[in-house]
Amino acid sequence: MAKAGKKYRELRTKVDSSVKYPIDGAFDMLKGLTFAKFDESVDVAVRLNVNPRHADQNLRGAVTLPHGTGKTVRVLVFAKGDKEKEAQEAGADYVGGDDLVDKIKEGWFEFDAVIATPDMMGSVGKIGRLLGPRGLMPNPKVGTVTFDVGPVVRDAKGGRVEFRVDKAGIIHAPVGRKSFDSDKLQENMLELVSTLQKMRPQSVKGTYIKGISISSTMSPGLRLDSASVLEKLV
């Protein structure tokens, strides 16, 4: 295992791993844990009381963050006819059909999100083995296979984040950049947690959200007091 650098170790001394910090002030503290010379991504990890091996607990979805992610998202849309025009007017960076399929087969991946109309999925399926491992395959479960392309393109450009529970029952998602005001980071995180609350499977018994932590690209994580987070949703 690689040894942590000196600057990172210094930051670790400022965080008590045995403490669960209240949400108020947590993002201010996180913003103070920095030595990087770039605008780091701020990420949230939510540990859920779910078993992903059960179909109803293998959670997958998307959330549109009220303050965006701070990242420029390049959106590709597979569509034709009026839907192609709708996607272009909504701000899609690339719109097309088989021409884009062929381009991707040749190794082109200069895009961050993919949306497709249902009638284009036959063509998109031909490159599923290329898009899937990159997390780019359109999926009706997260709303990226739809005829309603305009709103979905605008959401993708404006801060839509897809998430999926991992094998350990944890959801990982970005909620902004360190340059964001703390209140905006908090509001983005609360939108994510609220969305997860609404997705709670009926089969889950007892405590659903077992833990929440926040971190940035180069910082140690802060464990949050889940109760103080959930109180903000009431």
Side-chain angles (χ1 to χ4, degrees), residues 13-196:
T13 65
K14 300 179 180 180
V15 178
D16 188 339
S17 60
S18 68
V19 172
K20 292 184 179 181
Y21 295 91
I23 185 174
D24 289 332
F27 283 103
D28 285 333
M29 182 177 179
L30 181 67
K31 285 165 64 70
L33 298 172
T34 185
F35 63 85
K37 296 181 180 180
F38 62 93
D39 193 9
E40 301 171 65
S41 173
V42 174
D43 304 297
V44 172
V46 183
R47 186 162 58 94
L48 302 173
N49 179 24
V50 297
N51 184 345
R53 289 178 294 179
H54 297 166
D56 67 320
Q57 296 183 26
N58 188 12
L59 302 183
R60 181 174 185 176
V63 58
T64 300
L65 304 177
H67 304 290
T69 62
K71 178 182 177 181
T72 299
V73 179
R74 300 164 297 178
V75 178
L76 182 154
V77 178
F78 289 101
K80 57 186 177 182
D82 291 342
K83 293 302 174 181
E84 181 175 2
K85 181 180 179 181
E86 181 181 338
Q88 292 170 338
E89 292 177 346
D93 298 275
Y94 310 103
V95 186
D98 290 336
D99 55 329
L100 292 179
V101 170
D102 292 339
K103 195 172 181 180
I104 291 169
K105 285 181 178 178
E106 294 171 359
W108 176 74
F109 291 97
E110 295 180 14
F111 47 90
D112 307 297
V114 181
I115 299 164
T117 53
D119 58 340
M120 293 298 297
M121 287 305 293
S123 295
V124 178
K126 298 175 182 178
I127 50 173
R129 61 183 177 80
L130 299 175
L131 297 179
R134 294 174 169 82
L136 294 170
M137 187 66 181
N139 190 307
K141 291 184 178 180
V142 295
T144 49
V145 177
T146 177
F147 280 118
D148 200 14
V149 294
V152 178
V153 169
R154 286 188 285 272
D155 282 348
K157 300 287 285 186
R160 186 176 187 273
V161 172
E162 294 184 17
F163 55 80
R164 185 171 188 172
V165 68
D166 66 15
K167 294 180 180 179
I170 301 173
I171 294 284
H172 299 271
V175 292
R177 298 278 175 174
K178 263 195 172 176
S179 59
F180 282 25
D181 292 339
S182 294
D183 59 343
K184 291 184 178 180
L185 290 170
Q186 179 171 303
E187 289 169 13
N188 277 354
M189 186 194 74
L190 291 174
E191 187 68 24
L192 169 66
V193 176
S194 176
T195 299
L196 292 176

